[in-house]
Amino acid sequence: MSSKFAPLLAATNVHKTYRKGTNEVPVLKGVDLSLASGELVSIVGQSGSGKSTLLHLLGTLDRPDDGQIHFEGHRVDNLPPAGRDILRNRYIGLVFQFYHLLPELTTIENVLAPVMIRHSVWSYWMSRRKYRARAKSLLETVGLGHRLDHKPRELSGGEMQRTAIARALIAEPKLLLADEPTGNLDRQTGDEILEVLRRLNADHGLSIVMVTHDSAIAAGADRTVSLVEGRVQADKQAAA
Ligand code: ADP
Ligand code: MG
């Protein structure tokens, strides 16, 4: 298939049902969603509407029961686990509501952790200056250039989320998937995190899918998609 004019990310007729014993919970019932390169899209919906489920499928953390996920025109939902791991490590950054920082590591070490894990000691050592410079620059981009050597317990919630965003970008992904990135923050700090995401999108061309139950945060995206009863209800263009 030609991928030249394909969207960066597309979900087609995606279904997902959770099964526990004889109990079936149908969550997604035919979701269609497409993201152009350079877009910032928000997905809104009530708690339990399947937002996290959809984001996990888009990020190949889980597989749909039916339907397909394409990334850069290539089908990815049916890749074997090792292939999905490579895709995720190289092309997709993930951010969650809880920051999942390692408490013993400093801010810059947390940002570097994914590359340290991915590379052998030797190859990390050979490229350490390049990676440290990139980590420092990312932390400056998210407004944390003055907190490189702090531990997570010395950071505010907003600063921890900024660190998690920088960590998600260390491998230079094409796509950032954020699940309730402001969900644990007060309004003003949430707005600041939204502003960080908007700047990464506008200035660095990063494509972003952001899940939120907060319509004020969602309105900061180029486009909002609503999940209702397992399907995408409407695409509304945000006012400029
Ligand atoms: P949201 O992120 O919009 O709040 P979720 O995608 O987390 O919604 O969950 C959608 C529905 O699927 C909820 O009813 C939830 O209880 C159920 N669910 C989510 N994950 C699982 C799972 N691993 N096993 C069973 N049910 C699940
Ligand atoms: Mg959720």
Side-chain angles (χ1 to χ4, degrees):
M1 182 197 340
S2 163
S3 60
K4 200 169 173 198
F5 301 109
L8 179 66
L9 180 71
T12 313
N13 195 28
V14 161
H15 288 72
K16 184 75 184 178
T17 295
Y18 291 111
R19 291 182 180 81
K20 217 168 213 171
T22 56
N23 198 3
E24 293 206 341
V25 184
V27 179
L28 303 179
K29 306 174 192 171
V31 168
D32 293 303
L33 178 65
S34 168
L35 179 82
S37 187
E39 243 192 322
L40 168 52
V41 168
S42 57
I43 299 175
V44 289
Q46 292 182 338
S47 178
S49 60
K51 302 182 298 299
S52 294
T53 299
L54 177 57
L55 205 74
H56 289 171
L57 297 178
L58 295 175
T60 72
L61 291 164
D62 199 0
R63 297 181 61 174
D65 300 326
D66 201 1
Q68 303 184 352
I69 311 285
H70 284 81
F71 184 84
E72 291 195 313
H74 303 283
R75 187 167 176 193
V76 295
D77 61 276
N78 61 353
L79 289 173
R84 286 189 280 149
D85 287 348
I86 292 169
L87 172 78
R88 220 179 304 114
N89 288 338
R90 293 200 40 191
Y91 298 108
I92 302 177
L94 292 159
V95 172
F96 300 98
Q97 175 175 356
F98 301 101
Y99 324 111
H100 304 301
L101 301 179
L102 295 168
E104 295 309 317
L105 301 186
T106 64
T107 302
I108 194 162
E109 288 166 349
N110 265 288
V111 173
L112 285 166
V115 285
M116 296 180 79
I117 290 164
R118 243 162 259 162
H119 293 75
S120 67
V121 172
W122 174 249
S123 87
Y124 177 75
W125 183 252
M126 292 305 286
S127 302
R128 70 193 183 286
R129 280 198 186 83
K130 180 187 83 178
Y131 289 129
R132 276 195 75 87
R134 174 157 173 79
K136 187 164 176 281
S137 154
L138 277 169
L139 283 164
E140 284 162 2
T141 300
V142 300
L144 272 191
H146 57 309
R147 292 281 185 272
L148 301 185
D149 297 316
H150 287 240
K151 297 276 176 72
R153 67 172 176 278
E154 300 160 343
L155 302 176
S156 67
E159 288 172 336
M160 286 194 266
Q161 191 60 295
R162 289 166 193 262
T163 305
I165 292 169
R167 179 184 56 189
L169 300 178
I170 189 69
E172 303 186 62
K174 296 188 176 185
L175 172 66
L176 184 71
L177 300 177
D179 192 354
E180 305 272 8
T182 68
N184 210 35
L185 303 171
D186 61 59
R187 160 68 55 206
Q188 190 192 329
T189 310
D191 285 344
E192 288 167 12
I193 292 299
L194 173 64
E195 200 44 48
V196 167
L197 296 178
R198 285 172 56 90
R199 252 191 303 113
L200 287 166
N201 173 253
D203 300 348
H204 301 264
L206 183 67
S207 308
I208 303 177
V209 178
M210 172 179 72
V211 156
T212 177
H213 67 274
D214 182 338
S215 53
I217 292 289
D222 302 330
R223 184 158 65 91
T224 298
V225 166
S226 299
L227 261 189
V228 180
E229 290 172 8
R231 306 192 70 166
V232 166
Q233 192 186 47
D235 267 25
K236 68 170 187 273
Q237 214 72 37

